[in-house]
Amino acid sequence: MDEKKPQPSQPPYSTVTSTGAELDAAMLAERVTAIRIYGTAYARALRWQGDHLIIGADPACDLPVSDPSVSWHHATLSRQGDRVVLTDNRSTNGTRSEGEPRATFQLVPGSQFSLGSVHFVAVNDRVEALRARLKRFLGFADVFSAGVDHAHFAATRRRHVAVLEPIGGGGVGLAHLLHETAPGGAWPFVMVDERIGDTAAEQLATLKRARNGALVVPVATWPKDARPLRDALAKGTNGVRLVLVAPTGHLLEPLLGQPLVQQTIAIEIPSIVQRAKVDAHGVELSRLLELALAEHGAVVGVAGQVLKPGDMASLLRHDWSGGHKMLDEMVSRLLLVRVHGRTGAADRLGVGVTALSNWCKRHGFA
C-alpha cells in the first residue's frame, strides 16, 4: 500500500491561546536552527549567508513557500546574536505568532507561527528529539506527523489533554511521555486507579495530590458528577494538567463540559495494525519493535543484541491486534527468555517452564 501524502495541519489554536511563555525556560534560551511546516516531517535549515533570510512565494526566496496565501516576499528572518526575529513585510494575508496577529516577534524553539494560512513550527535539535520520542506511540511515517505535532504542542504548553487510545492501550504510556517532555516534568505524576467520588471535597483532594503536575484519569474512574472537578481544572486550581485516557471515538464534551473541553487537546493514538498498513516494507513496525526492544532491554539489563536469528521476523509476522499492551508484554517476555534462558525466565515470570516453552513455539521463537 502506498503511503498517503501528508497534508499540512493547523495547530490547535481554536482550543488554546498561548504567548509561548509556557515553553521550557531552558529551551527558550536556545537558538532556532530550522523551521518546519506544521504537520509535516521535513524541516528547512536556516542557512545564513548574512543576517537576513526572506520567506515568501518567490522561488528565489531563501525559504520559498508555494501557497496562494503567502505573499511574494512575505517576511524576513533576522539574526541578532543568538536571537532569530521574524518581521512581516506588509504582506497581504498577515503573519501570526501563536495564533495572534503580530508584525514582529522572536522565534524560539517550539514556537508556532503562520504566514497567511501556512503554519510553521520553529525547531532545533532538542525540539526534534522530543518530537521523535512521541513517535513511539503516534507513528513514525509522515502521515502521522500532524498527530505528533499536536502532542508536542500540548506537552510543551502543559495543556489539558484527552488521549484517545485504540484496543490494546498506549494511552498511559503516552501520558507518561507527555509528562516527561513538558516543562516541569519532574513534578507529580498522579495516576487515578479508582473512581473519583462525586463530592467537591473528594475531587479537590484528588487535585491537591497532583498539585503543579499531571493528573491521569482513565475514563472508567471519572466521577459521575464531575462538576467540581471540571470547574477547578478549567480555573487552573493547583496548577494541575489533566490527561484523560479514553477509548478511540469516545465523546468528550459530555464528560468534560464547557469550558474545559475547549481547553483540552484531543490526541488520537493510531493502532499498531493501522500503523503497519502505511507502507509495504514493514518499516513502521520494524522501527516500533526496535525502539520497544531497546526500552525493555534497558530495564532487564541488556546492553546489546540478544535476539536469535528469526526472532525479529516472527515479531514482524504477528498481527498485533492486541496493541501496545500486547507488544510490551511480548517483547519483555522474549528478552527475559533470551537473557536468562527458559528456566530462568519462567522463574522470574512465575510461570511453568513447559508453559513458557509452548508460548515460544506458538509465536515462532525457537
Side-chain angles (χ1 to χ4, degrees), residues 70-141:
V70 176
S71 295
W72 202 240
H73 294 158
H74 196 112
T76 299
L77 289 176
S78 302
R79 182 170 55 174
Q80 301 176 10
D82 287 339
R83 300 170 71 240
V84 175
V85 175
L86 186 146
T87 302
D88 182 85
N89 294 331
R90 303 178 70 179
S91 64
T92 301
N93 295 311
T95 299
R96 291 174 176 262
S97 172
E98 301 291 338
E100 302 295 330
R102 298 280 298 278
T104 185
F105 50 90
Q106 181 184 354
L107 291 185
V108 296
S111 63
Q112 316 282 346
F113 67 98
S114 59
L115 309 182
S117 61
V118 183
H119 302 272
F120 297 84
V121 58
V123 304
N124 64 359
D125 289 345
R126 185 179 176 200
V127 169
E128 295 298 81
L130 293 180
R131 187 173 177 272
R133 294 185 65 196
L134 294 169
K135 294 181 180 181
R136 201 281 203 199
F137 293 98
L138 297 171
F140 300 101

Side-chain angles (χ1 to χ4, degrees), residues 41-361:
Y42 175 64
R44 305 185 191 188
L46 303 184
R47 304 188 185 283
W48 301 96
Q49 298 297 323
D51 290 326
H52 303 285
L53 297 172
I54 304 298
I55 310 176
D58 183 353
C61 283
D62 301 296
L63 295 162
V65 181
S66 178
D67 188 274
S69 70
V70 176
S71 295
W72 202 240
H73 294 158
H74 196 112
T76 299
L77 289 176
S78 302
R79 182 170 55 174
Q80 301 176 10
D82 287 339
R83 300 170 71 240
V84 175
V85 175
L86 186 146
T87 302
D88 182 85
N89 294 331
R90 303 178 70 179
S91 64
T92 301
N93 295 311
T95 299
R96 291 174 176 262
S97 172
E98 301 291 338
E100 302 295 330
R102 298 280 298 278
T104 185
F105 50 90
Q106 181 184 354
L107 291 185
V108 296
S111 63
Q112 316 282 346
F113 67 98
S114 59
L115 309 182
S117 61
V118 183
H119 302 272
F120 297 84
V121 58
V123 304
N124 64 359
D125 289 345
R126 185 179 176 200
V127 169
E128 295 298 81
L130 293 180
R131 187 173 177 272
R133 294 185 65 196
L134 294 169
K135 294 181 180 181
R136 201 281 203 199
F137 293 98
L138 297 171
F140 300 101
D142 289 356
V143 71
F144 301 118
S145 291
V148 175
D149 275 342
H150 281 8
H152 194 206
F153 185 97
T156 54
R157 287 155 179 80
R158 291 186 54 78
R159 295 305 186 182
H160 300 309
V161 176
V163 177
L164 303 175
E165 64 178 10
I167 294 173
V172 174
L174 180 57
H176 273 284
L177 191 49
L178 290 172
H179 183 63
E180 292 174 14
T181 57
W187 293 342
F189 180 91
V190 176
M191 178 79 185
V192 176
D193 54 11
E194 58 183 25
R195 183 178 287 278
I196 301 171
D198 293 332
T199 69
E202 291 171 304
Q203 294 176 25
L204 292 177
T206 300
L207 278 180
K208 188 175 181 179
R209 289 170 52 205
R211 184 179 183 86
N212 293 327
L215 180 66
V216 183
V217 185
V219 70
T221 68
W222 191 254
K224 294 179 180 178
D225 181 358
R227 284 175 294 180
L229 180 61
R230 295 187 314 204
D231 291 346
L233 286 166
K235 292 175 182 176
T237 301
N238 290 333
V240 173
R241 191 261 287 276
L242 170 70
V243 182
L244 177 71
V245 181
T248 300
H250 200 92
L251 296 178
L252 299 177
E253 188 163 351
L255 284 177
L256 301 178
Q258 298 286 350
L260 184 57
V261 74
Q262 293 297 322
Q263 300 176 16
T264 301
I265 298 174
I267 301 170
E268 185 170 336
I269 300 177
S271 70
I272 295 178
V273 173
Q274 180 183 351
R275 291 172 61 175
K277 289 180 179 179
V278 301
D279 68 272
H281 307 290
V283 175
E284 179 76 18
L285 186 53
S286 293
R287 292 184 66 182
L288 176 59
L289 286 168
E290 288 167 1
L291 186 54
L293 286 163
E295 290 176 356
H296 288 281
V299 173
V300 299
V302 177
Q305 177 60 263
V306 297
L307 297 187
K308 289 187 176 181
D311 282 351
M312 182 59 81
S314 296
L315 288 169
L316 287 169
R317 284 195 299 269
H318 199 80
D319 65 13
W320 297 115
S321 58
H324 286 275
K325 183 177 181 181
M326 174 188 287
L327 182 145
D328 289 333
E329 290 177 351
M330 182 170 288
V331 167
S332 178
R333 178 173 287 202
L334 176 59
L335 286 172
L336 285 174
V337 170
R338 294 303 180 232
V339 172
H340 301 288
R342 295 186 185 181
T343 300
D347 183 59
R348 285 168 170 78
L349 292 167
V351 300
V353 175
T354 301
L356 186 58
S357 296
N358 289 337
W359 177 87
C360 290
K361 292 177 183 177

